[in-house]
Amino acid sequence: MIRRTVCLLAALLLCAGGPALAGDGAAKPQRIVSLNLCADELLLRLVEPGRIASVTWLARDPCGSTVAAIAAGIPVNRGLAEEIVPLHPDLIVGGTYTTRTAAGLLKRLNAPLVELDVPQTPEDAADQIRALARTVGEPERGEALIAAMLARYDAAAPAPGDRRPTAVVLRPNGFVAGPGTLTDAVMARAGLENAAGRLPGGGFGPLPLEAILLGGAERLITDDTPGAPPSLANAVLHHPAVTALSRRVRTVTVPSRLLTCAGPQNAEAAALLAAARGEGP
């Protein structure tokens, strides 16, 4: 079945003349396709919409995307190679851990595919923005985006010598974000010490609510998205014990869309987290 699909796509690609690589004469790719929400968010900040042939359907969801308004008028895809090839893209941007079937097929067709990794720090995010900006022919826009992001991080940073309160991020299904995650790095930039690493089994993953509540964190950061449809995963965020804890410690809500992908939106999250440094509930 896969061989047949590859043959059909290859035939379609040949009939279309084949997508040209970004460096084959054109200074800037003009028909860019994204297969990944994180690629959507960077591309829509770096490139004018007229040069983007398609983004993922997730880009239009305001609950999970930070570029929903920009994506509103751009065709969407669901990560299928059959959708991508007919668009005649001259650049396809995907993610290392997403749309693996489509990425594999596109590679076999020698399509112009670039895959983004998952940055773990603001510096990694800046490097990724810079690299992608060069790929799409917009290095100046990339540097401007990086400068604005780093300036916002600097504005959120604590003054030298300020105390760093301990904090824990409580996500849907009781997930916490421990050391080595992008969220941990953003918390550090905002002047908070991540308490997740001290908890039993701390790191990135689900923890019993009891462990989180009794862990002694001075600040509670809920990873909630206002307006999102009800779900069992989010039920833990509204547990009576969590509500009671929020009356005793300072609590701040950071919409999940600000920390799902690496980029300028993380600095917006840092600004919200910096507000949690203050004293009192």
Side-chain angles (χ1 to χ4, degrees), residues 72-110:
I74 299 176
V76 298
N77 68 77
R78 291 183 176 270
L80 301 176
E82 296 87 336
E83 298 174 292
I84 306 309
V85 173
L87 296 174
H88 310 163
D90 51 9
L91 177 65
I92 304 167
V93 185
T96 303
Y97 302 105
T98 56
T99 58
R100 302 317 305 153
T101 299
L105 288 170
L106 292 167
K107 286 177 181 178
R108 292 174 69 176
L109 294 171
N110 294 318

PDB file of all heavy atoms in Angstrom, residues 72-110:
ATOM      1  N   ALA A  72      -6.221  32.672   9.577  1.00  0.00           N
ATOM      2  CA  ALA A  72      -7.630  32.547   9.206  1.00  0.00           C
ATOM      3  C   ALA A  72      -7.859  32.455   7.703  1.00  0.00           C
ATOM      4  O   ALA A  72      -8.739  31.736   7.243  1.00  0.00           O
ATOM      5  CB  ALA A  72      -8.420  33.719   9.786  1.00  0.00           C
ATOM      6  N   GLY A  73      -7.084  33.153   6.897  1.00  0.00           N
ATOM      7  CA  GLY A  73      -7.307  33.165   5.456  1.00  0.00           C
ATOM      8  C   GLY A  73      -6.408  32.247   4.657  1.00  0.00           C
ATOM      9  O   GLY A  73      -6.398  32.312   3.421  1.00  0.00           O
ATOM     10  N   ILE A  74      -5.653  31.386   5.338  1.00  0.00           N
ATOM     11  CA  ILE A  74      -4.690  30.511   4.651  1.00  0.00           C
ATOM     12  C   ILE A  74      -5.236  29.087   4.601  1.00  0.00           C
ATOM     13  O   ILE A  74      -5.761  28.593   5.601  1.00  0.00           O
ATOM     14  CB  ILE A  74      -3.332  30.550   5.381  1.00  0.00           C
ATOM     15  CG1 ILE A  74      -2.768  31.971   5.365  1.00  0.00           C
ATOM     16  CG2 ILE A  74      -2.340  29.576   4.750  1.00  0.00           C
ATOM     17  CD1 ILE A  74      -1.493  32.134   6.138  1.00  0.00           C
ATOM     18  N   PRO A  75      -5.135  28.408   3.458  1.00  0.00           N
ATOM     19  CA  PRO A  75      -5.590  27.015   3.372  1.00  0.00           C
ATOM     20  C   PRO A  75      -4.900  26.149   4.420  1.00  0.00           C
ATOM     21  O   PRO A  75      -3.745  26.391   4.785  1.00  0.00           O
ATOM     22  CB  PRO A  75      -5.184  26.592   1.954  1.00  0.00           C
ATOM     23  CG  PRO A  75      -5.128  27.874   1.183  1.00  0.00           C
ATOM     24  CD  PRO A  75      -4.628  28.907   2.157  1.00  0.00           C
ATOM     25  N   VAL A  76      -5.621  25.115   4.886  1.00  0.00           N
ATOM     26  CA  VAL A  76      -5.079  24.263   5.940  1.00  0.00           C
ATOM     27  C   VAL A  76      -4.922  22.835   5.442  1.00  0.00           C
ATOM     28  O   VAL A  76      -5.533  22.416   4.454  1.00  0.00           O
ATOM     29  CB  VAL A  76      -5.962  24.282   7.199  1.00  0.00           C
ATOM     30  CG1 VAL A  76      -6.032  25.685   7.771  1.00  0.00           C
ATOM     31  CG2 VAL A  76      -7.364  23.751   6.907  1.00  0.00           C
ATOM     32  N   ASN A  77      -4.074  22.091   6.138  1.00  0.00           N
ATOM     33  CA  ASN A  77      -3.873  20.673   5.846  1.00  0.00           C
ATOM     34  C   ASN A  77      -3.898  19.888   7.145  1.00  0.00           C
ATOM     35  O   ASN A  77      -3.814  20.462   8.231  1.00  0.00           O
ATOM     36  CB  ASN A  77      -2.550  20.447   5.107  1.00  0.00           C
ATOM     37  CG  ASN A  77      -1.344  20.740   5.978  1.00  0.00           C
ATOM     38  OD1 ASN A  77      -0.978  19.941   6.839  1.00  0.00           O
ATOM     39  ND2 ASN A  77      -0.707  21.891   5.773  1.00  0.00           N
ATOM     40  N   ARG A  78      -4.010  18.565   7.012  1.00  0.00           N
ATOM     41  CA  ARG A  78      -3.997  17.677   8.173  1.00  0.00           C
ATOM     42  C   ARG A  78      -2.783  16.748   8.149  1.00  0.00           C
ATOM     43  O   ARG A  78      -2.827  15.629   8.658  1.00  0.00           O
ATOM     44  CB  ARG A  78      -5.302  16.891   8.266  1.00  0.00           C
ATOM     45  CG  ARG A  78      -6.480  17.792   8.612  1.00  0.00           C
ATOM     46  CD  ARG A  78      -7.780  17.046   8.792  1.00  0.00           C
ATOM     47  NE  ARG A  78      -8.829  17.953   9.219  1.00  0.00           N
ATOM     48  CZ  ARG A  78      -9.133  18.244  10.487  1.00  0.00           C
ATOM     49  NH1 ARG A  78      -8.454  17.658  11.472  1.00  0.00           N
ATOM     50  NH2 ARG A  78     -10.104  19.079  10.789  1.00  0.00           N
ATOM     51  N   GLY A  79      -1.711  17.221   7.524  1.00  0.00           N
ATOM     52  CA  GLY A  79      -0.454  16.492   7.576  1.00  0.00           C
ATOM     53  C   GLY A  79      -0.373  15.279   6.681  1.00  0.00           C
ATOM     54  O   GLY A  79       0.399  14.355   6.968  1.00  0.00           O
ATOM     55  N   LEU A  80      -1.131  15.260   5.583  1.00  0.00           N
ATOM     56  CA  LEU A  80      -1.089  14.130   4.657  1.00  0.00           C
ATOM     57  C   LEU A  80      -0.271  14.495   3.423  1.00  0.00           C
ATOM     58  O   LEU A  80      -0.460  15.567   2.845  1.00  0.00           O
ATOM     59  CB  LEU A  80      -2.503  13.742   4.236  1.00  0.00           C
ATOM     60  CG  LEU A  80      -3.465  13.332   5.361  1.00  0.00           C
ATOM     61  CD1 LEU A  80      -4.856  13.071   4.790  1.00  0.00           C
ATOM     62  CD2 LEU A  80      -2.944  12.106   6.090  1.00  0.00           C
ATOM     63  N   ALA A  81       0.595  13.590   3.014  1.00  0.00           N
ATOM     64  CA  ALA A  81       1.416  13.844   1.834  1.00  0.00           C
ATOM     65  C   ALA A  81       0.542  14.068   0.607  1.00  0.00           C
ATOM     66  O   ALA A  81       0.879  14.866  -0.273  1.00  0.00           O
ATOM     67  CB  ALA A  81       2.371  12.674   1.602  1.00  0.00           C
ATOM     68  N   GLU A  82      -0.601  13.366   0.540  1.00  0.00           N
ATOM     69  CA  GLU A  82      -1.507  13.521  -0.594  1.00  0.00           C
ATOM     70  C   GLU A  82      -2.062  14.939  -0.704  1.00  0.00           C
ATOM     71  O   GLU A  82      -2.441  15.381  -1.795  1.00  0.00           O
ATOM     72  CB  GLU A  82      -2.676  12.527  -0.491  1.00  0.00           C
ATOM     73  CG  GLU A  82      -2.267  11.066  -0.573  1.00  0.00           C
ATOM     74  CD  GLU A  82      -1.892  10.460   0.774  1.00  0.00           C
ATOM     75  OE1 GLU A  82      -1.512  11.217   1.692  1.00  0.00           O
ATOM     76  OE2 GLU A  82      -1.969   9.240   0.909  1.00  0.00           O
ATOM     77  N   GLU A  83      -2.128  15.633   0.416  1.00  0.00           N
ATOM     78  CA  GLU A  83      -2.584  17.023   0.402  1.00  0.00           C
ATOM     79  C   GLU A  83      -1.466  17.972  -0.019  1.00  0.00           C
ATOM     80  O   GLU A  83      -1.728  19.024  -0.618  1.00  0.00           O
ATOM     81  CB  GLU A  83      -3.041  17.454   1.799  1.00  0.00           C
ATOM     82  CG  GLU A  83      -4.201  16.702   2.399  1.00  0.00           C
ATOM     83  CD  GLU A  83      -4.428  17.144   3.835  1.00  0.00           C
ATOM     84  OE1 GLU A  83      -3.565  16.860   4.685  1.00  0.00           O
ATOM     85  OE2 GLU A  83      -5.459  17.777   4.100  1.00  0.00           O
ATOM     86  N   ILE A  84      -0.244  17.601   0.304  1.00  0.00           N
ATOM     87  CA  ILE A  84       0.880  18.524   0.155  1.00  0.00           C
ATOM     88  C   ILE A  84       1.393  18.596  -1.282  1.00  0.00           C
ATOM     89  O   ILE A  84       1.604  19.683  -1.824  1.00  0.00           O
ATOM     90  CB  ILE A  84       2.030  18.111   1.104  1.00  0.00           C
ATOM     91  CG1 ILE A  84       1.518  18.001   2.544  1.00  0.00           C
ATOM     92  CG2 ILE A  84       3.181  19.107   1.007  1.00  0.00           C
ATOM     93  CD1 ILE A  84       0.752  19.201   3.038  1.00  0.00           C
ATOM     94  N   VAL A  85       1.604  17.445  -1.906  1.00  0.00           N
ATOM     95  CA  VAL A  85       2.217  17.424  -3.236  1.00  0.00           C
ATOM     96  C   VAL A  85       1.437  18.255  -4.255  1.00  0.00           C
ATOM     97  O   VAL A  85       2.046  19.006  -5.031  1.00  0.00           O
ATOM     98  CB  VAL A  85       2.405  15.971  -3.712  1.00  0.00           C
ATOM     99  CG1 VAL A  85       2.880  15.946  -5.160  1.00  0.00           C
ATOM    100  CG2 VAL A  85       3.421  15.251  -2.819  1.00  0.00           C
ATOM    101  N   PRO A  86       0.094  18.175  -4.309  1.00  0.00           N
ATOM    102  CA  PRO A  86      -0.637  18.984  -5.296  1.00  0.00           C
ATOM    103  C   PRO A  86      -0.494  20.487  -5.106  1.00  0.00           C
ATOM    104  O   PRO A  86      -0.833  21.258  -6.012  1.00  0.00           O
ATOM    105  CB  PRO A  86      -2.099  18.548  -5.098  1.00  0.00           C
ATOM    106  CG  PRO A  86      -2.021  17.190  -4.483  1.00  0.00           C
ATOM    107  CD  PRO A  86      -0.815  17.248  -3.601  1.00  0.00           C
ATOM    108  N   LEU A  87       0.006  20.912  -3.973  1.00  0.00           N
ATOM    109  CA  LEU A  87       0.194  22.342  -3.733  1.00  0.00           C
ATOM    110  C   LEU A  87       1.456  22.873  -4.402  1.00  0.00           C
ATOM    111  O   LEU A  87       1.702  24.086  -4.400  1.00  0.00           O
ATOM    112  CB  LEU A  87       0.261  22.611  -2.222  1.00  0.00           C
ATOM    113  CG  LEU A  87      -1.015  22.302  -1.429  1.00  0.00           C
ATOM    114  CD1 LEU A  87      -0.775  22.471   0.068  1.00  0.00           C
ATOM    115  CD2 LEU A  87      -2.160  23.186  -1.879  1.00  0.00           C
ATOM    116  N   HIS A  88       2.283  21.978  -4.945  1.00  0.00           N
ATOM    117  CA  HIS A  88       3.532  22.351  -5.624  1.00  0.00           C
ATOM    118  C   HIS A  88       4.428  23.203  -4.716  1.00  0.00           C
ATOM    119  O   HIS A  88       4.891  24.272  -5.119  1.00  0.00           O
ATOM    120  CB  HIS A  88       3.245  23.131  -6.918  1.00  0.00           C
ATOM    121  CG  HIS A  88       2.254  22.478  -7.814  1.00  0.00           C
ATOM    122  ND1 HIS A  88       1.604  23.148  -8.827  1.00  0.00           N
ATOM    123  CD2 HIS A  88       1.789  21.203  -7.842  1.00  0.00           C
ATOM    124  CE1 HIS A  88       0.765  22.324  -9.445  1.00  0.00           C
ATOM    125  NE2 HIS A  88       0.870  21.135  -8.865  1.00  0.00           N
ATOM    126  N   PRO A  89       4.707  22.749  -3.501  1.00  0.00           N
ATOM    127  CA  PRO A  89       5.508  23.569  -2.582  1.00  0.00           C
ATOM    128  C   PRO A  89       6.970  23.657  -2.999  1.00  0.00           C
ATOM    129  O   PRO A  89       7.519  22.712  -3.567  1.00  0.00           O
ATOM    130  CB  PRO A  89       5.371  22.822  -1.252  1.00  0.00           C
ATOM    131  CG  PRO A  89       5.159  21.396  -1.651  1.00  0.00           C
ATOM    132  CD  PRO A  89       4.350  21.448  -2.915  1.00  0.00           C
ATOM    133  N   ASP A  90       7.577  24.797  -2.732  1.00  0.00           N
ATOM    134  CA  ASP A  90       9.023  24.912  -2.920  1.00  0.00           C
ATOM    135  C   ASP A  90       9.746  24.865  -1.578  1.00  0.00           C
ATOM    136  O   ASP A  90      10.968  24.912  -1.528  1.00  0.00           O
ATOM    137  CB  ASP A  90       9.401  26.167  -3.704  1.00  0.00           C
ATOM    138  CG  ASP A  90       8.780  27.435  -3.145  1.00  0.00           C
ATOM    139  OD1 ASP A  90       8.196  27.387  -2.046  1.00  0.00           O
ATOM    140  OD2 ASP A  90       8.867  28.483  -3.810  1.00  0.00           O
ATOM    141  N   LEU A  91       8.986  24.747  -0.489  1.00  0.00           N
ATOM    142  CA  LEU A  91       9.561  24.499   0.839  1.00  0.00           C
ATOM    143  C   LEU A  91       8.466  23.902   1.713  1.00  0.00           C
ATOM    144  O   LEU A  91       7.342  24.411   1.750  1.00  0.00           O
ATOM    145  CB  LEU A  91      10.085  25.792   1.476  1.00  0.00           C
ATOM    146  CG  LEU A  91      10.646  25.638   2.903  1.00  0.00           C
ATOM    147  CD1 LEU A  91      11.902  24.759   2.894  1.00  0.00           C
ATOM    148  CD2 LEU A  91      10.960  26.995   3.524  1.00  0.00           C
ATOM    149  N   ILE A  92       8.800  22.816   2.400  1.00  0.00           N
ATOM    150  CA  ILE A  92       7.895  22.176   3.351  1.00  0.00           C
ATOM    151  C   ILE A  92       8.596  22.170   4.698  1.00  0.00           C
ATOM    152  O   ILE A  92       9.744  21.749   4.812  1.00  0.00           O
ATOM    153  CB  ILE A  92       7.576  20.729   2.928  1.00  0.00           C
ATOM    154  CG1 ILE A  92       7.006  20.704   1.501  1.00  0.00           C
ATOM    155  CG2 ILE A  92       6.597  20.087   3.902  1.00  0.00           C
ATOM    156  CD1 ILE A  92       6.973  19.309   0.902  1.00  0.00           C
ATOM    157  N   VAL A  93       7.908  22.646   5.735  1.00  0.00           N
ATOM    158  CA  VAL A  93       8.493  22.709   7.080  1.00  0.00           C
ATOM    159  C   VAL A  93       7.677  21.813   7.999  1.00  0.00           C
ATOM    160  O   VAL A  93       6.462  21.999   8.149  1.00  0.00           O
ATOM    161  CB  VAL A  93       8.517  24.147   7.618  1.00  0.00           C
ATOM    162  CG1 VAL A  93       9.244  24.170   8.970  1.00  0.00           C
ATOM    163  CG2 VAL A  93       9.206  25.089   6.636  1.00  0.00           C
ATOM    164  N   GLY A  94       8.330  20.838   8.594  1.00  0.00           N
ATOM    165  CA  GLY A  94       7.675  19.922   9.519  1.00  0.00           C
ATOM    166  C   GLY A  94       8.383  19.905  10.858  1.00  0.00           C
ATOM    167  O   GLY A  94       9.277  20.715  11.121  1.00  0.00           O
ATOM    168  N   GLY A  95       7.991  18.954  11.693  1.00  0.00           N
ATOM    169  CA  GLY A  95       8.610  18.797  13.003  1.00  0.00           C
ATOM    170  C   GLY A  95       9.238  17.423  13.124  1.00  0.00           C
ATOM    171  O   GLY A  95       8.773  16.456  12.512  1.00  0.00           O
ATOM    172  N   THR A  96      10.270  17.336  13.929  1.00  0.00           N
ATOM    173  CA  THR A  96      11.001  16.084  14.072  1.00  0.00           C
ATOM    174  C   THR A  96      10.128  14.940  14.564  1.00  0.00           C
ATOM    175  O   THR A  96      10.338  13.785  14.204  1.00  0.00           O
ATOM    176  CB  THR A  96      12.187  16.274  15.040  1.00  0.00           C
ATOM    177  OG1 THR A  96      13.020  17.334  14.541  1.00  0.00           O
ATOM    178  CG2 THR A  96      13.021  15.014  15.164  1.00  0.00           C
ATOM    179  N   TYR A  97       9.121  15.264  15.389  1.00  0.00           N
ATOM    180  CA  TYR A  97       8.326  14.203  16.010  1.00  0.00           C
ATOM    181  C   TYR A  97       6.878  14.186  15.537  1.00  0.00           C
ATOM    182  O   TYR A  97       6.043  13.538  16.151  1.00  0.00           O
ATOM    183  CB  TYR A  97       8.366  14.365  17.530  1.00  0.00           C
ATOM    184  CG  TYR A  97       9.767  14.327  18.083  1.00  0.00           C
ATOM    185  CD1 TYR A  97      10.402  15.493  18.515  1.00  0.00           C
ATOM    186  CD2 TYR A  97      10.471  13.129  18.143  1.00  0.00           C
ATOM    187  CE1 TYR A  97      11.708  15.462  19.001  1.00  0.00           C
ATOM    188  CE2 TYR A  97      11.772  13.086  18.626  1.00  0.00           C
ATOM    189  CZ  TYR A  97      12.382  14.259  19.055  1.00  0.00           C
ATOM    190  OH  TYR A  97      13.664  14.230  19.537  1.00  0.00           O
ATOM    191  N   THR A  98       6.551  14.881  14.462  1.00  0.00           N
ATOM    192  CA  THR A  98       5.166  14.919  13.999  1.00  0.00           C
ATOM    193  C   THR A  98       5.068  14.528  12.528  1.00  0.00           C
ATOM    194  O   THR A  98       6.059  14.578  11.793  1.00  0.00           O
ATOM    195  CB  THR A  98       4.559  16.323  14.175  1.00  0.00           C
ATOM    196  OG1 THR A  98       5.384  17.281  13.487  1.00  0.00           O
ATOM    197  CG2 THR A  98       4.488  16.710  15.645  1.00  0.00           C
ATOM    198  N   THR A  99       3.864  14.123  12.114  1.00  0.00           N
ATOM    199  CA  THR A  99       3.561  13.727  10.730  1.00  0.00           C
ATOM    200  C   THR A  99       4.657  12.846  10.137  1.00  0.00           C
ATOM    201  O   THR A  99       5.139  13.087   9.044  1.00  0.00           O
ATOM    202  CB  THR A  99       3.336  14.971   9.831  1.00  0.00           C
ATOM    203  OG1 THR A  99       4.502  15.813   9.859  1.00  0.00           O
ATOM    204  CG2 THR A  99       2.140  15.761  10.297  1.00  0.00           C
ATOM    205  N   ARG A 100       5.011  11.797  10.870  1.00  0.00           N
ATOM    206  CA  ARG A 100       6.146  10.978  10.440  1.00  0.00           C
ATOM    207  C   ARG A 100       5.866  10.218   9.139  1.00  0.00           C
ATOM    208  O   ARG A 100       6.758  10.032   8.307  1.00  0.00           O
ATOM    209  CB  ARG A 100       6.530   9.976  11.537  1.00  0.00           C
ATOM    210  CG  ARG A 100       6.905  10.599  12.875  1.00  0.00           C
ATOM    211  CD  ARG A 100       7.800  11.814  12.734  1.00  0.00           C
ATOM    212  NE  ARG A 100       9.005  11.566  11.984  1.00  0.00           N
ATOM    213  CZ  ARG A 100       9.663  12.496  11.305  1.00  0.00           C
ATOM    214  NH1 ARG A 100       9.213  13.739  11.251  1.00  0.00           N
ATOM    215  NH2 ARG A 100      10.771  12.192  10.661  1.00  0.00           N
ATOM    216  N   THR A 101       4.622   9.767   8.947  1.00  0.00           N
ATOM    217  CA  THR A 101       4.309   9.051   7.710  1.00  0.00           C
ATOM    218  C   THR A 101       4.448   9.976   6.506  1.00  0.00           C
ATOM    219  O   THR A 101       5.084   9.632   5.501  1.00  0.00           O
ATOM    220  CB  THR A 101       2.884   8.474   7.769  1.00  0.00           C
ATOM    221  OG1 THR A 101       2.798   7.558   8.863  1.00  0.00           O
ATOM    222  CG2 THR A 101       2.543   7.751   6.471  1.00  0.00           C
ATOM    223  N   ALA A 102       3.866  11.165   6.613  1.00  0.00           N
ATOM    224  CA  ALA A 102       3.959  12.128   5.515  1.00  0.00           C
ATOM    225  C   ALA A 102       5.406  12.521   5.267  1.00  0.00           C
ATOM    226  O   ALA A 102       5.858  12.599   4.114  1.00  0.00           O
ATOM    227  CB  ALA A 102       3.119  13.361   5.827  1.00  0.00           C
ATOM    228  N   ALA A 103       6.155  12.777   6.351  1.00  0.00           N
ATOM    229  CA  ALA A 103       7.557  13.175   6.198  1.00  0.00           C
ATOM    230  C   ALA A 103       8.354  12.079   5.499  1.00  0.00           C
ATOM    231  O   ALA A 103       9.190  12.356   4.624  1.00  0.00           O
ATOM    232  CB  ALA A 103       8.153  13.499   7.560  1.00  0.00           C
ATOM    233  N   GLY A 104       8.106  10.830   5.865  1.00  0.00           N
ATOM    234  CA  GLY A 104       8.814   9.731   5.230  1.00  0.00           C
ATOM    235  C   GLY A 104       8.523   9.644   3.745  1.00  0.00           C
ATOM    236  O   GLY A 104       9.435   9.440   2.932  1.00  0.00           O
ATOM    237  N   LEU A 105       7.258   9.794   3.374  1.00  0.00           N
ATOM    238  CA  LEU A 105       6.891   9.755   1.962  1.00  0.00           C
ATOM    239  C   LEU A 105       7.504  10.920   1.193  1.00  0.00           C
ATOM    240  O   LEU A 105       8.018  10.758   0.085  1.00  0.00           O
ATOM    241  CB  LEU A 105       5.369   9.778   1.828  1.00  0.00           C
ATOM    242  CG  LEU A 105       4.633   8.498   2.232  1.00  0.00           C
ATOM    243  CD1 LEU A 105       3.133   8.739   2.273  1.00  0.00           C
ATOM    244  CD2 LEU A 105       4.966   7.352   1.284  1.00  0.00           C
ATOM    245  N   LEU A 106       7.450  12.104   1.792  1.00  0.00           N
ATOM    246  CA  LEU A 106       7.998  13.283   1.118  1.00  0.00           C
ATOM    247  C   LEU A 106       9.512  13.167   0.926  1.00  0.00           C
ATOM    248  O   LEU A 106      10.054  13.600  -0.092  1.00  0.00           O
ATOM    249  CB  LEU A 106       7.647  14.538   1.907  1.00  0.00           C
ATOM    250  CG  LEU A 106       6.152  14.903   1.911  1.00  0.00           C
ATOM    251  CD1 LEU A 106       5.854  15.974   2.964  1.00  0.00           C
ATOM    252  CD2 LEU A 106       5.714  15.375   0.536  1.00  0.00           C
ATOM    253  N   LYS A 107      10.192  12.578   1.893  1.00  0.00           N
ATOM    254  CA  LYS A 107      11.635  12.373   1.750  1.00  0.00           C
ATOM    255  C   LYS A 107      11.933  11.413   0.600  1.00  0.00           C
ATOM    256  O   LYS A 107      12.889  11.608  -0.163  1.00  0.00           O
ATOM    257  CB  LYS A 107      12.223  11.830   3.057  1.00  0.00           C
ATOM    258  CG  LYS A 107      12.323  12.870   4.164  1.00  0.00           C
ATOM    259  CD  LYS A 107      12.851  12.244   5.449  1.00  0.00           C
ATOM    260  CE  LYS A 107      12.930  13.268   6.572  1.00  0.00           C
ATOM    261  NZ  LYS A 107      13.397  12.656   7.844  1.00  0.00           N
ATOM    262  N   ARG A 108      11.113  10.374   0.467  1.00  0.00           N
ATOM    263  CA  ARG A 108      11.321   9.412  -0.616  1.00  0.00           C
ATOM    264  C   ARG A 108      11.082  10.061  -1.973  1.00  0.00           C
ATOM    265  O   ARG A 108      11.605   9.599  -2.992  1.00  0.00           O
ATOM    266  CB  ARG A 108      10.401   8.209  -0.417  1.00  0.00           C
ATOM    267  CG  ARG A 108      10.777   7.367   0.799  1.00  0.00           C
ATOM    268  CD  ARG A 108       9.787   6.273   1.063  1.00  0.00           C
ATOM    269  NE  ARG A 108       9.820   5.228   0.030  1.00  0.00           N
ATOM    270  CZ  ARG A 108       9.091   4.118   0.102  1.00  0.00           C
ATOM    271  NH1 ARG A 108       8.294   3.915   1.154  1.00  0.00           N
ATOM    272  NH2 ARG A 108       9.157   3.222  -0.868  1.00  0.00           N
ATOM    273  N   LEU A 109      10.312  11.127  -1.996  1.00  0.00           N
ATOM    274  CA  LEU A 109      10.058  11.867  -3.231  1.00  0.00           C
ATOM    275  C   LEU A 109      11.068  12.990  -3.444  1.00  0.00           C
ATOM    276  O   LEU A 109      10.949  13.753  -4.405  1.00  0.00           O
ATOM    277  CB  LEU A 109       8.650  12.456  -3.195  1.00  0.00           C
ATOM    278  CG  LEU A 109       7.488  11.459  -3.194  1.00  0.00           C
ATOM    279  CD1 LEU A 109       6.175  12.175  -2.946  1.00  0.00           C
ATOM    280  CD2 LEU A 109       7.439  10.692  -4.500  1.00  0.00           C
ATOM    281  N   ASN A 110      12.045  13.090  -2.534  1.00  0.00           N
ATOM    282  CA  ASN A 110      13.039  14.168  -2.601  1.00  0.00           C
ATOM    283  C   ASN A 110      12.383  15.552  -2.563  1.00  0.00           C
ATOM    284  O   ASN A 110      12.846  16.495  -3.215  1.00  0.00           O
ATOM    285  CB  ASN A 110      13.916  14.038  -3.853  1.00  0.00           C
ATOM    286  CG  ASN A 110      14.787  12.804  -3.816  1.00  0.00           C
ATOM    287  OD1 ASN A 110      15.357  12.474  -2.774  1.00  0.00           O
ATOM    288  ND2 ASN A 110      14.889  12.110  -4.932  1.00  0.00           N
TER     289      ASN A 110
END
